[in-house]
Short mmCIF file of all heavy atoms in Angstrom, two decimals:
data_model
loop_
_atom_site.label_atom_id
_atom_site.label_comp_id
_atom_site.label_asym_id
_atom_site.label_seq_id
_atom_site.Cartn_x
_atom_site.Cartn_y
_atom_site.Cartn_z
N ALA A 15 -26.83 9.97 35.14
CA ALA A 15 -26.34 8.66 34.69
C ALA A 15 -27.47 7.63 34.67
O ALA A 15 -27.54 6.79 33.76
CB ALA A 15 -25.22 8.18 35.62
N GLN A 16 -28.38 7.70 35.64
CA GLN A 16 -29.51 6.77 35.67
C GLN A 16 -30.45 7.01 34.49
O GLN A 16 -31.00 6.07 33.92
CB GLN A 16 -30.27 6.92 36.99
CG GLN A 16 -29.50 6.45 38.21
CD GLN A 16 -29.25 4.95 38.21
OE1 GLN A 16 -30.02 4.17 37.65
NE2 GLN A 16 -28.17 4.53 38.84
N ILE A 17 -30.65 8.28 34.13
CA ILE A 17 -31.49 8.59 32.97
C ILE A 17 -30.86 8.03 31.69
O ILE A 17 -31.54 7.44 30.84
CB ILE A 17 -31.71 10.11 32.84
CG1 ILE A 17 -32.58 10.61 33.99
CG2 ILE A 17 -32.36 10.47 31.50
CD1 ILE A 17 -32.73 12.13 34.03
N CYS A 18 -29.55 8.22 31.56
CA CYS A 18 -28.85 7.69 30.39
C CYS A 18 -29.01 6.18 30.31
O CYS A 18 -29.32 5.62 29.25
CB CYS A 18 -27.36 8.06 30.46
SG CYS A 18 -26.37 7.36 29.11
N LYS A 19 -28.82 5.50 31.43
CA LYS A 19 -28.96 4.04 31.46
C LYS A 19 -30.38 3.61 31.11
O LYS A 19 -30.58 2.67 30.32
CB LYS A 19 -28.57 3.52 32.84
CG LYS A 19 -28.73 2.02 33.00
CD LYS A 19 -28.40 1.58 34.42
CE LYS A 19 -28.62 0.08 34.59
NZ LYS A 19 -28.31 -0.36 35.98
N CYS A 20 -31.36 4.30 31.69
CA CYS A 20 -32.76 3.94 31.47
C CYS A 20 -33.14 4.10 30.00
O CYS A 20 -33.73 3.20 29.39
CB CYS A 20 -33.66 4.81 32.35
SG CYS A 20 -35.43 4.51 32.14
N LEU A 21 -32.79 5.23 29.40
CA LEU A 21 -33.15 5.47 28.00
C LEU A 21 -32.41 4.52 27.07
O LEU A 21 -32.97 4.05 26.08
CB LEU A 21 -32.84 6.93 27.63
CG LEU A 21 -33.74 7.98 28.28
CD1 LEU A 21 -33.33 9.38 27.83
CD2 LEU A 21 -35.21 7.74 27.96
N ALA A 22 -31.14 4.23 27.39
CA ALA A 22 -30.38 3.31 26.55
C ALA A 22 -31.02 1.92 26.55
O ALA A 22 -31.11 1.27 25.51
CB ALA A 22 -28.93 3.23 27.05
N ASN A 23 -31.50 1.49 27.71
CA ASN A 23 -32.14 0.17 27.80
C ASN A 23 -33.50 0.16 27.11
O ASN A 23 -33.84 -0.79 26.39
CB ASN A 23 -32.30 -0.24 29.26
CG ASN A 23 -30.97 -0.57 29.92
OD1 ASN A 23 -29.99 -0.89 29.25
ND2 ASN A 23 -30.93 -0.50 31.24
N GLU A 24 -34.28 1.20 27.32
CA GLU A 24 -35.64 1.24 26.79
C GLU A 24 -35.68 1.44 25.27
O GLU A 24 -36.62 1.01 24.60
CB GLU A 24 -36.44 2.34 27.47
CG GLU A 24 -36.77 2.06 28.93
CD GLU A 24 -37.68 0.86 29.09
OE1 GLU A 24 -38.59 0.69 28.25
OE2 GLU A 24 -37.48 0.09 30.04
N LEU A 25 -34.66 2.10 24.73
CA LEU A 25 -34.67 2.45 23.30
C LEU A 25 -33.70 1.61 22.48
O LEU A 25 -33.45 1.92 21.31
CB LEU A 25 -34.31 3.94 23.14
CG LEU A 25 -35.26 4.93 23.81
CD1 LEU A 25 -34.73 6.35 23.69
CD2 LEU A 25 -36.67 4.84 23.23
N LYS A 26 -33.18 0.53 23.06
CA LYS A 26 -32.15 -0.24 22.36
C LYS A 26 -32.67 -0.94 21.09
O LYS A 26 -31.88 -1.29 20.22
CB LYS A 26 -31.53 -1.27 23.31
CG LYS A 26 -32.49 -2.27 23.88
CD LYS A 26 -31.79 -3.16 24.90
CE LYS A 26 -32.77 -4.12 25.57
NZ LYS A 26 -32.07 -4.93 26.60
N THR A 27 -33.99 -1.11 20.99
CA THR A 27 -34.55 -1.72 19.78
C THR A 27 -35.16 -0.69 18.83
O THR A 27 -35.69 -1.05 17.79
CB THR A 27 -35.62 -2.76 20.16
OG1 THR A 27 -36.67 -2.13 20.90
CG2 THR A 27 -35.02 -3.88 21.00
N HIS A 28 -35.09 0.58 19.21
CA HIS A 28 -35.62 1.65 18.36
C HIS A 28 -34.62 1.93 17.24
O HIS A 28 -33.46 2.20 17.50
CB HIS A 28 -35.86 2.90 19.19
CG HIS A 28 -36.71 3.94 18.53
ND1 HIS A 28 -36.27 4.67 17.44
CD2 HIS A 28 -37.97 4.38 18.80
CE1 HIS A 28 -37.22 5.51 17.07
NE2 HIS A 28 -38.26 5.36 17.87
N HIS A 29 -35.09 1.88 16.00
CA HIS A 29 -34.14 1.97 14.88
C HIS A 29 -33.52 3.35 14.74
O HIS A 29 -32.50 3.50 14.05
CB HIS A 29 -34.84 1.56 13.57
CG HIS A 29 -35.96 2.46 13.16
ND1 HIS A 29 -37.21 2.38 13.72
CD2 HIS A 29 -36.01 3.47 12.25
CE1 HIS A 29 -38.00 3.29 13.17
NE2 HIS A 29 -37.31 3.96 12.27
N THR A 30 -34.09 4.38 15.38
CA THR A 30 -33.50 5.72 15.31
C THR A 30 -32.76 6.07 16.58
O THR A 30 -31.68 6.66 16.54
CB THR A 30 -34.59 6.77 15.05
OG1 THR A 30 -35.29 6.45 13.85
CG2 THR A 30 -33.97 8.17 14.93
N PHE A 31 -33.31 5.71 17.73
CA PHE A 31 -32.76 6.15 19.02
C PHE A 31 -31.96 5.08 19.73
O PHE A 31 -31.61 5.24 20.90
CB PHE A 31 -33.90 6.61 19.93
CG PHE A 31 -34.74 7.72 19.34
CD1 PHE A 31 -36.09 7.79 19.60
CD2 PHE A 31 -34.17 8.68 18.52
CE1 PHE A 31 -36.87 8.82 19.06
CE2 PHE A 31 -34.92 9.70 17.97
CZ PHE A 31 -36.28 9.77 18.24
N ASN A 32 -31.64 3.97 19.05
CA ASN A 32 -30.93 2.89 19.73
C ASN A 32 -29.47 3.21 20.06
O ASN A 32 -28.81 2.48 20.79
CB ASN A 32 -30.99 1.59 18.91
CG ASN A 32 -30.42 1.77 17.52
OD1 ASN A 32 -29.93 2.85 17.17
ND2 ASN A 32 -30.50 0.73 16.70
N ASN A 33 -28.96 4.32 19.53
CA ASN A 33 -27.58 4.72 19.83
C ASN A 33 -27.55 5.90 20.80
O ASN A 33 -26.60 6.68 20.81
CB ASN A 33 -26.83 5.06 18.55
CG ASN A 33 -27.48 6.21 17.78
OD1 ASN A 33 -28.63 6.56 18.05
ND2 ASN A 33 -26.75 6.78 16.84
N PHE A 34 -28.58 6.02 21.62
CA PHE A 34 -28.64 7.13 22.57
C PHE A 34 -27.40 7.16 23.46
O PHE A 34 -26.79 8.20 23.66
CB PHE A 34 -29.91 7.02 23.44
CG PHE A 34 -30.02 8.11 24.47
CD1 PHE A 34 -30.67 9.30 24.17
CD2 PHE A 34 -29.46 7.97 25.73
CE1 PHE A 34 -30.78 10.31 25.11
CE2 PHE A 34 -29.56 8.98 26.68
CZ PHE A 34 -30.21 10.15 26.37
N ARG A 35 -27.04 6.01 24.01
CA ARG A 35 -25.90 5.96 24.93
C ARG A 35 -24.61 6.39 24.25
O ARG A 35 -23.83 7.17 24.81
CB ARG A 35 -25.74 4.56 25.52
CG ARG A 35 -24.65 4.48 26.58
CD ARG A 35 -24.58 3.10 27.21
NE ARG A 35 -23.91 2.15 26.34
CZ ARG A 35 -23.64 0.89 26.69
NH1 ARG A 35 -24.02 0.45 27.89
NH2 ARG A 35 -23.03 0.08 25.87
N THR A 36 -24.38 5.91 23.04
CA THR A 36 -23.15 6.25 22.31
C THR A 36 -23.07 7.75 22.05
O THR A 36 -22.02 8.38 22.26
CB THR A 36 -23.09 5.48 20.98
OG1 THR A 36 -23.09 4.08 21.25
CG2 THR A 36 -21.84 5.86 20.20
N LEU A 37 -24.17 8.34 21.61
CA LEU A 37 -24.17 9.77 21.31
C LEU A 37 -24.02 10.60 22.58
O LEU A 37 -23.35 11.64 22.58
CB LEU A 37 -25.45 10.15 20.58
CG LEU A 37 -25.61 9.55 19.17
CD1 LEU A 37 -26.95 9.96 18.56
CD2 LEU A 37 -24.47 9.97 18.26
N PHE A 38 -24.62 10.14 23.67
CA PHE A 38 -24.48 10.88 24.93
C PHE A 38 -23.04 10.80 25.44
O PHE A 38 -22.47 11.81 25.90
CB PHE A 38 -25.43 10.32 25.99
CG PHE A 38 -25.40 11.09 27.27
CD1 PHE A 38 -25.98 12.35 27.36
CD2 PHE A 38 -24.78 10.56 28.39
CE1 PHE A 38 -25.93 13.08 28.55
CE2 PHE A 38 -24.74 11.26 29.58
CZ PHE A 38 -25.31 12.53 29.66
N LEU A 39 -22.41 9.64 25.33
CA LEU A 39 -21.02 9.51 25.74
C LEU A 39 -20.10 10.35 24.85
O LEU A 39 -19.09 10.90 25.32
CB LEU A 39 -20.60 8.05 25.72
CG LEU A 39 -21.22 7.17 26.81
CD1 LEU A 39 -20.87 5.70 26.59
CD2 LEU A 39 -20.76 7.61 28.19
N ASN A 40 -20.43 10.44 23.56
CA ASN A 40 -19.64 11.30 22.67
C ASN A 40 -19.74 12.76 23.10
O ASN A 40 -18.77 13.52 23.01
CB ASN A 40 -20.11 11.14 21.23
CG ASN A 40 -19.65 9.84 20.60
OD1 ASN A 40 -18.72 9.19 21.10
ND2 ASN A 40 -20.30 9.43 19.53
N LYS A 41 -20.93 13.16 23.54
CA LYS A 41 -21.12 14.52 24.05
C LYS A 41 -20.25 14.76 25.28
O LYS A 41 -19.62 15.82 25.43
CB LYS A 41 -22.59 14.73 24.39
CG LYS A 41 -22.95 16.14 24.80
CD LYS A 41 -23.13 17.04 23.62
CE LYS A 41 -23.65 18.40 24.02
NZ LYS A 41 -23.83 19.31 22.87
N CYS A 42 -20.20 13.78 26.16
CA CYS A 42 -19.35 13.88 27.34
C CYS A 42 -17.88 13.97 26.95
O CYS A 42 -17.10 14.72 27.56
CB CYS A 42 -19.57 12.68 28.25
SG CYS A 42 -21.22 12.59 28.99
N LYS A 43 -17.48 13.20 25.94
CA LYS A 43 -16.07 13.20 25.53
C LYS A 43 -15.66 14.54 24.96
O LYS A 43 -14.52 15.00 25.17
CB LYS A 43 -15.82 12.10 24.50
CG LYS A 43 -14.34 11.99 24.11
CD LYS A 43 -14.11 10.93 23.07
CE LYS A 43 -12.61 10.79 22.77
NZ LYS A 43 -11.98 12.07 22.34
N SER A 44 -16.56 15.20 24.23
CA SER A 44 -16.23 16.51 23.68
C SER A 44 -15.88 17.49 24.79
O SER A 44 -14.94 18.29 24.68
CB SER A 44 -17.40 17.04 22.85
OG SER A 44 -17.65 16.22 21.74
N ALA A 45 -16.64 17.45 25.88
CA ALA A 45 -16.34 18.31 27.03
C ALA A 45 -15.08 17.84 27.75
O ALA A 45 -14.25 18.65 28.17
CB ALA A 45 -17.53 18.34 27.98
N TYR A 46 -14.93 16.55 27.89
CA TYR A 46 -13.75 15.96 28.53
C TYR A 46 -12.46 16.39 27.83
O TYR A 46 -11.44 16.65 28.47
CB TYR A 46 -13.90 14.44 28.54
CG TYR A 46 -12.64 13.65 28.71
CD1 TYR A 46 -12.11 13.39 29.97
CD2 TYR A 46 -11.98 13.13 27.59
CE1 TYR A 46 -10.95 12.64 30.12
CE2 TYR A 46 -10.83 12.38 27.72
CZ TYR A 46 -10.31 12.13 28.99
OH TYR A 46 -9.17 11.40 29.13
N ASP A 47 -12.50 16.49 26.51
CA ASP A 47 -11.32 16.92 25.74
C ASP A 47 -10.91 18.35 26.06
O ASP A 47 -9.78 18.75 25.76
CB ASP A 47 -11.59 16.77 24.24
CG ASP A 47 -11.64 15.31 23.81
OD1 ASP A 47 -11.10 14.46 24.54
OD2 ASP A 47 -12.23 15.02 22.74
#
């Protein structure tokens, strides 16, 4: 969770990787389902 938070904060202005948190949470949801 700390890695997810760190990357989401550091890459929030990156035009390709700024949705890291959203995509990671979507990955979690697929397993949660």
Side-chain angles (χ1 to χ4, degrees):
Q16 292 294 332
I17 291 174
C18 177
K19 178 183 177 180
C20 179
L21 291 180
N23 289 338
E24 290 296 322
L25 299 175
K26 60 185 176 183
T27 59
H28 194 291
H29 64 281
T30 303
F31 303 146
N32 58 2
N33 60 345
F34 179 90
R35 185 176 77 176
T36 300
L37 294 178
F38 184 73
L39 290 173
N40 285 342
K41 186 80 173 180
C42 294
K43 184 182 183 303
S44 296
Y46 159 84
D47 289 340

